[in-house]
Amino acid sequence: MGIISRVPVIAEKIPGGAIVATSLEKILNLSRASSMWYLLFGTACCAIEMMCTGASRYDFDRFGMFFRASPRQADLMFVAGTITYKMAPRVKRLYEQMAEPRYVIAMGGCACNGGPFYYDSYAVLKGVDLIIPVDVYLPGCPPRPESLMEACIKLQEKIKREKLQDWSSDKRG
Amino acid sequence: MADSGTIIRLLVEKFPSQVEAIELNPKQTAVQIDPRIVVAFFEFIKTHPDLKMAYLSSISGVDMTTNIDIVYFLSSIEYKHKLTVRTKVNRKGGKIDTISTVIKGANWFEREIWELFGVEFLGHPNLTQFLLPDDWDEGPPMLRDWTGRNFVKMPEIGG
């Protein structure tokens, strides 16, 4: 594996090259990380920050990220807001309808662990990781758009580290 | 627009022993009424030509630990005056007549209070669950001493 992992570093240094020799793993990871289309889904005030991040001032488009209104076309789900026990089965269903590979960012305190509704609440799910696997936890109430972009960059780094042999559905939720 | 003194005078004249003034603030006149007269009371304030309280903003339930207070918030579109009506029911197995026969908008508010506080509204046309999850089996959750499977009590701070 020594030579394979060094090849892209050599190849990318060729100036103005039309042909780039690289590994399948790297090119697929780069494609996935550079066009994460997210599900247009928000349940509380975090969704306002998510909309703001998608709009022109913060401009998610430069990461290659667009909202998709259907889970069938989405790669990434922001759980933006409070998830109640009544909402939880619907979130799970939306996640299951997304095509693999799929990623989840738990945005805000409510999605991470129940947040301000952890105590004395009969209705709020104590963390979305109880029902679906979460890749990045983003605290804040609600997090600012900069934080959300930071979370997306972290997720891109995570995707770029993925190995070919891990791409089976039983290992990756 | 009738001021709070006039509103209270009209109500006490009509229901002398069952109505009691508890707040005279002109922006939030409030009366305490006997729960047995709710239907007649709302019929009266809705149809009286000087009151015309036909708009029901909300109905609240309050767990006072000794009983449950049902609080009705009314206003008049025509005269721009407001009235708050409080009444008491038992904490366990409380029953009160529905006012959705007089004011149709009370229907969903009463369903909500039935669901969250367990107060039964007699004569309600459709007293069925609609806010809590479909498989809910833990009783009315808004009572102060309620606990459930996933309920975490706020720990005492300091002490």
Side-chain angles (χ1 to χ4, degrees):
Chain A
M1 292 295 281
I3 186 79
I4 297 289
S5 57
R6 275 205 300 279
V7 163
V9 183
I10 304 160
E12 280 162 13
K13 280 178 182 166
I14 302 168
I19 299 166
V20 178
T22 181
S23 68
L24 181 68
E25 194 175 272
K26 271 215 190 303
I27 197 79
L28 276 175
N29 280 347
L30 187 68
S31 318
R32 282 179 178 178
S34 309
S35 66
M36 293 188 288
W37 289 1
Y38 59 96
L39 183 61
L40 188 64
F41 170 69
T43 48
C45 39
C46 281
I48 303 294
E49 298 295 307
M50 186 180 76
M51 285 179 241
C52 176
T53 320
S56 53
R57 189 180 184 95
Y58 292 94
D59 197 12
F60 248 163
D61 290 13
R62 62 206 160 103
F63 297 114
M65 296 173 69
F66 304 92
F67 67 79
R68 294 274 100 190
S70 159
R72 306 285 184 202
Q73 300 167 349
D75 309 301
L76 169 64
M77 177 196 247
F78 295 122
V79 183
T82 318
I83 300 299
T84 58
Y85 286 115
K86 196 171 183 178
M87 191 68 190
R90 280 81 175 173
V91 177
K92 196 172 179 205
R93 171 168 288 191
L94 281 172
Y95 176 77
E96 283 164 356
Q97 284 176 341
M98 285 162 65
E100 288 180 4
R102 53 198 172 187
Y103 304 93
V104 175
I105 292 181
M107 181 182 179
C110 297
C112 287
N113 73 340
F117 307 106
Y118 185 83
Y119 294 117
D120 287 351
S121 168
Y122 66 92
V124 177
L125 185 71
K126 288 162 184 55
V128 76
D129 52 2
L130 295 172
I131 50 166
I132 54 176
V134 175
D135 291 284
V136 179
Y137 293 86
L138 173 60
C141 193
R144 284 197 48 90
E146 292 91 331
S147 323
L148 185 56
M149 289 194 289
E150 174 74 14
C152 292
I153 293 167
K154 289 278 177 219
L155 182 60
Q156 284 180 339
E157 286 170 8
K158 184 176 174 175
I159 294 170
K160 283 175 188 168
R161 283 199 305 272
E162 271 181 13
K163 296 285 173 220
L164 202 58
Q165 61 264 31
D166 296 340
W167 289 353
S168 66
S169 58
D170 43 326
K171 281 199 178 177
R172 255 221 54 86
Chain B
M1 178 179 170
D3 61 20
S4 33
T6 319
I7 294 172
I8 303 252
R9 189 175 47 76
L10 282 169
L11 297 176
V12 173
E13 269 173 18
K14 175 74 181 171
F15 304 99
S17 57
Q18 293 110 330
V19 173
E20 185 192 343
I22 51 173
E23 171 110 46
L24 287 168
N25 184 336
K27 289 192 173 158
Q28 198 69 65
T29 313
V31 290
Q32 177 94 42
I33 67 165
D34 188 318
R36 282 167 299 187
I37 61 155
V38 275
V39 177
F41 182 87
F42 283 100
E43 191 76 52
F44 174 73
I45 60 172
K46 187 185 170 187
T47 51
H48 191 282
D50 291 340
L51 292 172
K52 288 194 176 172
M53 301 270 193
Y55 182 74
L56 180 71
S57 310
S58 178
I59 306 179
S60 296
V62 189
D63 185 1
M64 307 296 280
T65 65
T66 51
N67 59 281
I68 290 174
D69 273 18
I70 310 285
V71 192
Y72 303 84
F73 299 93
L74 291 118
S75 55
S76 165
I77 306 267
E78 201 160 341
Y79 296 129
K80 311 268 189 292
H81 54 208
K82 291 181 180 176
L83 181 65
T84 304
V85 182
R86 291 185 87 99
T87 186
K88 288 181 180 182
V89 297
N90 282 338
R91 202 156 169 285
K92 296 284 176 201
K95 286 186 175 66
I96 189 167
D97 285 329
T98 179
I99 63 156
S100 61
T101 47
V102 184
I103 300 170
K104 279 228 165 72
N107 189 320
W108 276 27
F109 295 132
E110 289 182 344
R111 274 173 83 182
E112 187 178 344
I113 292 172
W114 170 76
E115 200 173 1
L116 300 180
F117 290 92
V119 177
E120 193 183 335
F121 289 86
L122 302 168
H124 191 284
N126 183 24
L127 210 56
T128 50
Q129 180 172 312
F130 78 127
L131 278 179
L132 291 172
D134 300 334
D135 56 350
W136 187 262
D137 58 352
E138 299 181 41
M142 289 297 274
L143 298 177
R144 286 186 191 272
D145 54 358
W146 181 87
T147 51
R149 281 193 291 275
N150 297 304
F151 186 79
V152 182
K153 189 86 191 135
M154 174 78 90
E156 296 288 328
I157 294 168

